[in-house]
Amino acid sequence: MRVVIAEDNALLREGLVLLLGSAGHEVVGVAGTGPEVLPALLTHRPDIAVVDVRMPPGFRDEGLRAALEARRALPGLPVLVLSQYVEESYAAELIGGGASGVGYLLKDRVGRVDAFLDALERVASGGTALDPEVVTELLARRRDDPLDTLTPREREVLALMAEGRDNTTIATRLVVTERAVSKHIGNVFAKLGLPPSDTGHRRVLAVLAYLNRGGGKES
């Protein structure tokens, strides 16, 4: 897998280069500042971009904005955001665009190498990998809508779906049967007015597209 890394912290950047190399992936380009991100992505056209949000010179949202520009120039470019922060508006734009191959993980919560590599490969293959806190932030953006009708268990299932988990994994995590998971998913889609589907990340994208489309009030 060919990877471009956009990260201003040199120690973390080099650590990612070594980690990905040892896992059999090829880092074809790196960017240490916001203005370097888009040219690197357009030049190398990688299989996936691993991007920080806040990068020099402004340390605001340079990395994520560059990733969004790259996805417009290279439709379908898989992007895995690895950040210390949840930037709601840009996260919503990235995730709610209806395209596959998106991930948003918080650095403080990526504690296992195998979990990070699993998320990387899932996003590169067109799936999703979303930190539960990111999902919580996006859910909190909307009020007075059908999301309020979800039960606590249905919200747990929705959050795990947004992480890109399949029914078997959700059942294991919640210690319930797969049949129960399927029933909860059916209830979630029914309450959100979405057609039920068991087709992996596409159901996640449908839910997130609903969460981010117009008409709801933002917090």
mmCIF file of all heavy atoms in Angstrom, residues 11-29:
data_model
loop_
_atom_site.group_PDB
_atom_site.id
_atom_site.type_symbol
_atom_site.label_atom_id
_atom_site.label_comp_id
_atom_site.label_asym_id
_atom_site.label_seq_id
_atom_site.Cartn_x
_atom_site.Cartn_y
_atom_site.Cartn_z
ATOM 1 N N LEU A 11 8.854 13.568 15.222
ATOM 2 C CA LEU A 11 9.019 12.292 15.910
ATOM 3 C C LEU A 11 7.881 11.340 15.554
ATOM 4 O O LEU A 11 8.113 10.168 15.227
ATOM 5 C CB LEU A 11 9.081 12.517 17.423
ATOM 6 C CG LEU A 11 9.363 11.281 18.285
ATOM 7 C CD1 LEU A 11 10.716 10.691 17.926
ATOM 8 C CD2 LEU A 11 9.312 11.652 19.769
ATOM 9 N N LEU A 12 6.642 11.841 15.596
ATOM 10 C CA LEU A 12 5.498 11.012 15.252
ATOM 11 C C LEU A 12 5.531 10.637 13.780
ATOM 12 O O LEU A 12 5.236 9.498 13.409
ATOM 13 C CB LEU A 12 4.197 11.748 15.586
ATOM 14 C CG LEU A 12 2.892 11.027 15.221
ATOM 15 C CD1 LEU A 12 2.828 9.641 15.857
ATOM 16 C CD2 LEU A 12 1.691 11.861 15.641
ATOM 17 N N ARG A 13 5.889 11.606 12.938
ATOM 18 C CA ARG A 13 5.938 11.350 11.487
ATOM 19 C C ARG A 13 6.914 10.230 11.162
ATOM 20 O O ARG A 13 6.592 9.290 10.426
ATOM 21 C CB ARG A 13 6.326 12.628 10.751
ATOM 22 C CG ARG A 13 6.280 12.491 9.228
ATOM 23 C CD ARG A 13 6.508 13.833 8.559
ATOM 24 N NE ARG A 13 7.831 14.380 8.825
ATOM 25 C CZ ARG A 13 8.049 15.513 9.478
ATOM 26 N NH1 ARG A 13 7.049 16.225 9.953
ATOM 27 N NH2 ARG A 13 9.289 15.953 9.663
ATOM 28 N N GLU A 14 8.124 10.306 11.743
ATOM 29 C CA GLU A 14 9.122 9.281 11.473
ATOM 30 C C GLU A 14 8.707 7.938 12.084
ATOM 31 O O GLU A 14 9.006 6.875 11.539
ATOM 32 C CB GLU A 14 10.490 9.718 12.000
ATOM 33 C CG GLU A 14 11.083 10.893 11.244
ATOM 34 C CD GLU A 14 11.133 10.638 9.746
ATOM 35 O OE1 GLU A 14 11.627 9.560 9.341
ATOM 36 O OE2 GLU A 14 10.664 11.509 8.982
ATOM 37 N N GLY A 15 8.033 8.009 13.219
ATOM 38 C CA GLY A 15 7.533 6.782 13.822
ATOM 39 C C GLY A 15 6.523 6.094 12.927
ATOM 40 O O GLY A 15 6.530 4.862 12.782
ATOM 41 N N LEU A 16 5.642 6.875 12.310
ATOM 42 C CA LEU A 16 4.660 6.312 11.383
ATOM 43 C C LEU A 16 5.342 5.720 10.154
ATOM 44 O O LEU A 16 4.935 4.665 9.656
ATOM 45 C CB LEU A 16 3.659 7.388 10.963
ATOM 46 C CG LEU A 16 2.631 7.814 12.019
ATOM 47 C CD1 LEU A 16 1.847 9.034 11.540
ATOM 48 C CD2 LEU A 16 1.670 6.662 12.328
ATOM 49 N N VAL A 17 6.383 6.411 9.668
ATOM 50 C CA VAL A 17 7.126 5.895 8.509
ATOM 51 C C VAL A 17 7.711 4.521 8.831
ATOM 52 O O VAL A 17 7.589 3.570 8.034
ATOM 53 C CB VAL A 17 8.249 6.874 8.099
ATOM 54 C CG1 VAL A 17 9.161 6.228 7.047
ATOM 55 C CG2 VAL A 17 7.662 8.168 7.543
ATOM 56 N N LEU A 18 8.339 4.394 9.994
ATOM 57 C CA LEU A 18 8.932 3.122 10.397
ATOM 58 C C LEU A 18 7.863 2.051 10.616
ATOM 59 O O LEU A 18 8.030 0.895 10.202
ATOM 60 C CB LEU A 18 9.756 3.313 11.674
ATOM 61 C CG LEU A 18 11.039 4.134 11.535
ATOM 62 C CD1 LEU A 18 11.669 4.369 12.902
ATOM 63 C CD2 LEU A 18 12.027 3.440 10.606
ATOM 64 N N LEU A 19 6.763 2.437 11.266
ATOM 65 C CA LEU A 19 5.684 1.487 11.539
ATOM 66 C C LEU A 19 5.089 0.948 10.246
ATOM 67 O O LEU A 19 4.922 -0.272 10.077
ATOM 68 C CB LEU A 19 4.598 2.170 12.372
ATOM 69 C CG LEU A 19 3.290 1.389 12.557
ATOM 70 C CD1 LEU A 19 3.545 0.099 13.313
ATOM 71 C CD2 LEU A 19 2.254 2.244 13.278
ATOM 72 N N LEU A 20 4.777 1.852 9.324
ATOM 73 C CA LEU A 20 4.155 1.423 8.076
ATOM 74 C C LEU A 20 5.126 0.599 7.237
ATOM 75 O O LEU A 20 4.723 -0.377 6.591
ATOM 76 C CB LEU A 20 3.663 2.643 7.299
ATOM 77 C CG LEU A 20 2.514 3.407 7.967
ATOM 78 C CD1 LEU A 20 2.184 4.673 7.191
ATOM 79 C CD2 LEU A 20 1.273 2.528 8.079
ATOM 80 N N GLY A 21 6.392 0.994 7.259
ATOM 81 C CA GLY A 21 7.385 0.228 6.513
ATOM 82 C C GLY A 21 7.528 -1.183 7.045
ATOM 83 O O GLY A 21 7.607 -2.152 6.278
ATOM 84 N N SER A 22 7.540 -1.321 8.370
ATOM 85 C CA SER A 22 7.670 -2.650 8.977
ATOM 86 C C SER A 22 6.442 -3.511 8.734
ATOM 87 O O SER A 22 6.523 -4.738 8.788
ATOM 88 C CB SER A 22 7.916 -2.514 10.482
ATOM 89 O OG SER A 22 6.771 -1.963 11.134
ATOM 90 N N ALA A 23 5.296 -2.859 8.438
ATOM 91 C CA ALA A 23 4.061 -3.592 8.160
ATOM 92 C C ALA A 23 3.914 -3.912 6.676
ATOM 93 O O ALA A 23 2.887 -4.452 6.248
ATOM 94 C CB ALA A 23 2.854 -2.782 8.634
ATOM 95 N N GLY A 24 4.940 -3.549 5.876
ATOM 96 C CA GLY A 24 4.911 -3.889 4.467
ATOM 97 C C GLY A 24 4.336 -2.829 3.554
ATOM 98 O O GLY A 24 4.139 -3.077 2.362
ATOM 99 N N HIS A 25 4.082 -1.636 4.101
ATOM 100 C CA HIS A 25 3.550 -0.545 3.288
ATOM 101 C C HIS A 25 4.680 0.391 2.855
ATOM 102 O O HIS A 25 5.752 0.413 3.466
ATOM 103 C CB HIS A 25 2.492 0.230 4.069
ATOM 104 C CG HIS A 25 1.375 -0.633 4.572
ATOM 105 N ND1 HIS A 25 0.618 -1.432 3.749
ATOM 106 C CD2 HIS A 25 0.898 -0.841 5.834
ATOM 107 C CE1 HIS A 25 -0.284 -2.090 4.467
ATOM 108 N NE2 HIS A 25 -0.126 -1.739 5.741
ATOM 109 N N GLU A 26 4.432 1.170 1.813
ATOM 110 C CA GLU A 26 5.448 2.084 1.289
ATOM 111 C C GLU A 26 5.007 3.528 1.502
ATOM 112 O O GLU A 26 3.964 3.935 1.003
ATOM 113 C CB GLU A 26 5.650 1.837 -0.210
ATOM 114 C CG GLU A 26 6.693 2.751 -0.839
ATOM 115 C CD GLU A 26 6.798 2.587 -2.343
ATOM 116 O OE1 GLU A 26 5.979 1.828 -2.915
ATOM 117 O OE2 GLU A 26 7.679 3.221 -2.941
ATOM 118 N N VAL A 27 5.790 4.274 2.256
ATOM 119 C CA VAL A 27 5.518 5.702 2.433
ATOM 120 C C VAL A 27 6.173 6.429 1.265
ATOM 121 O O VAL A 27 7.409 6.531 1.187
ATOM 122 C CB VAL A 27 6.060 6.216 3.777
ATOM 123 C CG1 VAL A 27 5.826 7.721 3.891
ATOM 124 C CG2 VAL A 27 5.388 5.490 4.941
ATOM 125 N N VAL A 28 5.350 6.937 0.349
ATOM 126 C CA VAL A 28 5.865 7.538 -0.882
ATOM 127 C C VAL A 28 6.066 9.039 -0.753
ATOM 128 O O VAL A 28 6.668 9.668 -1.626
ATOM 129 C CB VAL A 28 4.933 7.240 -2.076
ATOM 130 C CG1 VAL A 28 4.913 5.746 -2.357
ATOM 131 C CG2 VAL A 28 3.512 7.756 -1.810
ATOM 132 N N GLY A 29 5.544 9.643 0.319
ATOM 133 C CA GLY A 29 5.714 11.072 0.508
ATOM 134 C C GLY A 29 5.323 11.491 1.901
ATOM 135 O O GLY A 29 4.511 10.829 2.557
#
